Amino acid sequence: MRRPRRPPPCQVRLLPLHVPSLHTLLPTPQASPLGVTLLPSAEELFCTCSHVSLHCALTPQTRLLVGGEMLERMPAVGPDG
């Protein structure tokens, strides 16, 4: 399985956003200066964010990765408005 390519830090830093993430390849010391907060679980991510972008191949194992219960946990408006 191919590892996802990480964007260069200069590309990430251009985004004027606070970015909660479940990214497992980005260590906390590299994430913090970029405005990325690493969360411990998908449940916490969905409870925190009003928008979620999922990046993975669609396979039998990932097909039902996000269900209605997770979507119902999402706030109507995230902490950043």
Side-chain angles (χ1 to χ4, degrees), residues 7-79:
C10 60
Q11 287 181 350
V12 174
R13 199 66 191 139
L14 293 175
L15 301 172
L17 302 170
H18 166 74
V19 181
S21 177
L22 196 60
H23 200 292
T24 57
L25 298 177
L26 186 63
T28 301
Q30 291 177 344
S32 295
L34 300 173
V36 175
T37 302
L38 299 177
L39 299 176
S41 68
E43 289 77 16
E44 188 169 339
L45 182 72
F46 277 79
C47 288
T48 305
C49 301
S50 59
H51 295 77
V52 173
S53 178
L54 183 66
H55 301 265
C56 63
L58 181 59
T59 66
Q61 293 81 17
T62 62
R63 181 174 273 302
L64 299 174
L65 191 61
V66 176
E69 186 178 307
M70 281 249 208
L71 296 175
E72 288 173 2
R73 294 178 184 190
M74 296 175 75
V77 177

